[in-house]
Amino acid sequence: MIRHFLHVDFDAQRGLQEQVRETLINAILSGIFPPDAPLPSCRALAAQLNVSRNTTALVFENLVNEGYLLSRPRSGYYLHPDYHQPQVNPTLTAPVCESAAPRWGNRLKIQPSQQESILKPAGWMHYRYPFIYGQPDTHRFPLASWRAAANWLHGGIRDPAWVVDHIDQDVPMLIEQIRTRVLPKRGIVAAPDEILITLGSQNALYLLTRLLMSPDTRMAVENPGFREAINTFMLADTRIVPHAVDEEGLVLADAPCDYYYVTPGHQVPTGVSMSKARRAQLLEYAARHDAVIVEDDYDSESNFMQNPLPALKASDRSGRVIYVSSLSKALSPGLRLGFMVADPDLIDEARALRRLMYRHPPANIQYQMAHFLAQGYYETHLRRYHD
């Protein structure tokens, strides 16, 4: 038997089977095992890696079931014929082209990498006191409850509706949970056709930029304000009009704008909450000048004010407020789930644009979040988060 030295720097945070399997898959695909010789036995590999024989046996059996290996009685495990040749990277064997590579800098129509952006140090989440704006303590993520929602989703007795392409539709269960459990806490009453699920609130801002803005558009923003929102609006060469912020929120200027982007619940970055008087003034001003307000209520669930005012959208009687928020900000930003509430006509167009970008947010995450909300896990997490 040919001996092969396989080494694994085991990570205590990951399962042994997962890491042994990953090592074997890499070895198979790289072609280090000859096609006519058996792989190391379960016992030999277990001794080499200092793991139990059961661990290596389970990994080998899984690789047989998945078509990587063949099991020959009293002989051992061999490569499946499909893997007799190593998986060669095509870029290593492609013929060399003598012509010059494209000058991508001359072809790019926009260069988002050149925008001023929010910078965070690498590995900031491992700092003892990470003073990073807008990030929750992920150590408090309710893993057991989230796992319970996942178990419900993947239960064998349930029709896995999440495996199909929903084309441009959202999961009705999640829409209903947002409509009946999330929005009422912000004073918002909305119909199902007024809600769109997005990949975070940033995605909603991008959809609005593509749909509504052009070089002729005047966008009022808070100064100081959320830089990534401004960067998104600038993708359409929108005319950015900074507006000062005082202790009551955005200060209206004399010259009206087409759109007003505001964070009235918890202003970025000052933390000011827009006063009742300023909210009424902004709504009246928008109606008088035929303007639209984009309300970014990004941290409505993690705002620690005792009695926060209802959302600006709650006082909207003319459909001039587009409400953008996040489901994952207080839970885990990595989930990337947000939503937008607006007039059905605008939601229809945003849905069509979203379809051209990525169809819809992953249905399995939508179902899991819907169950997480329906079972009260989200509310329990928020209570503990605020304690």
Side-chain angles (χ1 to χ4, degrees):
M1 178 182 293
I2 300 174
R3 292 183 60 84
H4 298 281
F5 181 74
L6 298 177
H7 175 72
V8 182
D9 289 320
F10 285 108
D11 181 349
Q13 304 300 316
R14 300 173 60 195
L16 290 177
Q17 284 188 44
E18 174 189 354
Q19 297 177 77
V20 172
R21 173 192 167 93
E22 188 175 292
T23 300
L24 281 172
I25 291 291
N26 288 338
I28 291 169
L29 297 182
S30 63
I32 73 169
F33 296 124
D36 55 352
L39 273 68
S41 68
C42 296
R43 190 181 304 278
L45 185 61
Q48 183 176 318
L49 298 180
N50 196 26
V51 298
S52 74
R53 184 177 178 276
N54 284 341
T55 297
T56 55
L58 288 170
V59 171
F60 275 123
E61 287 303 316
N62 284 334
L63 293 181
V64 169
N65 293 335
E66 295 178 21
Y68 287 98
L69 303 177
L70 296 175
S71 177
R72 298 179 184 173
R74 295 185 296 278
S75 180
Y77 293 98
Y78 291 78
L79 290 180
H80 189 282
D82 289 347
Y83 296 96
H84 282 185
Q85 296 296 324
Q87 306 296 301
V88 180
N89 187 337
T91 60
L92 300 180
T93 58
V96 177
C97 180
E98 297 182 356
S99 62
R103 294 182 177 272
W104 296 113
N106 295 337
R107 292 172 176 263
L108 292 171
K109 305 307 179 187
I110 59 173
Q111 291 184 279
S113 66
Q114 302 305 307
Q115 292 178 324
E116 180 182 345
S117 61
I118 300 172
L119 299 178
K120 299 175 182 177
W124 63 266
M125 67 291 296
H126 302 303
Y127 289 18
R128 185 174 182 183
Y129 300 109
F131 294 104
I132 300 295
Y133 181 82
Q135 297 293 327
D137 181 3
T138 53
H139 291 97
R140 304 184 70 177
F141 181 81
L143 189 59
S145 300
W146 188 250
R147 186 182 293 116
N151 291 338
W152 167 85
L153 176 68
H154 300 295
I157 62 173
R158 187 165 291 100
D159 179 27
W162 55 270
V163 301
V164 302
D165 181 2
H166 289 222
I167 306 177
D168 63 354
Q169 295 300 302
D170 293 312
V171 170
M173 181 180 178
L174 181 56
I175 294 292
E176 188 63 12
Q177 289 300 312
I178 292 173
R179 192 182 74 83
T180 60
R181 293 201 176 203
V182 177
L183 292 179
K185 292 190 295 182
R186 303 297 293 128
I188 299 173
V189 177
D193 62 354
E194 295 177 301
I195 303 171
L196 181 76
I197 306 299
T198 61
L199 294 178
S201 55
Q202 188 70 37
N203 177 222
L205 298 180
Y206 180 83
L207 293 172
L208 293 174
T209 298
R210 294 290 293 157
L211 288 171
L212 302 175
M213 298 173 199
S214 72
D216 297 327
T217 303
R218 290 171 56 86
M219 167 60 81
V221 299
E222 298 162 329
N223 183 30
F226 181 40
R227 185 68 222 183
E228 293 292 60
I230 296 172
N231 287 343
T232 304
F233 303 145
M234 290 176 64
L235 293 176
D237 291 329
T238 305
R239 296 166 62 187
I240 302 298
V241 184
H243 282 53
V245 173
D246 63 15
E247 66 277 5
E248 293 189 77
L250 178 136
V251 179
L252 289 168
D254 293 333
C257 293
D258 301 297
Y259 297 91
Y260 289 80
Y261 171 78
V262 292
T263 53
H266 201 206
Q267 201 273 331
V268 179
T270 66
V272 166
S273 178
M274 186 179 288
S275 68
K276 285 185 178 180
R278 191 65 56 81
R279 291 168 186 241
Q281 181 187 17
L282 178 58
L283 288 168
E284 187 277 330
Y285 190 86
R288 179 156 36 97
H289 295 285
D290 193 24
V292 169
I293 301 167
V294 179
E295 178 182 13
D296 190 344
D297 201 11
Y298 64 98
D299 71 341
S300 62
E301 303 287 20
S302 56
N303 190 334
F304 289 93
M305 296 179 62
Q306 285 193 337
N307 295 298
L309 292 172
L312 194 62
K313 178 69 175 173
S315 302
D316 178 26
R317 298 294 179 265
S318 58
R320 293 189 177 277
V321 178
I322 302 170
Y323 182 81
V324 171
S325 191
S326 170
L327 280 172
S328 52
K329 196 66 171 178
L331 189 61
S332 171
L335 292 176
R336 305 310 309 152
L337 270 184
F339 58 94
M340 176 167 57
V341 181
D343 184 271
D345 289 342
L346 179 58
I347 291 296
D348 282 347
E349 293 301 328
R351 188 182 306 281
L353 176 58
R354 188 190 67 177
R355 185 190 76 243
L356 298 177
M357 296 171 63
Y358 55 85
R359 311 287 273 187
H360 56 80
N364 61 326
I365 298 297
Q366 289 195 56
Y367 273 109
Q368 190 168 343
M369 177 60 82
H371 185 71
F372 193 77
L373 287 164
Q375 292 298 305
Y377 296 140
Y378 189 55
E379 286 299 321
T380 300
H381 168 69
L382 292 178
R383 285 197 303 270
R384 293 172 177 169
Y385 191 81
H386 284 256
D387 289 342

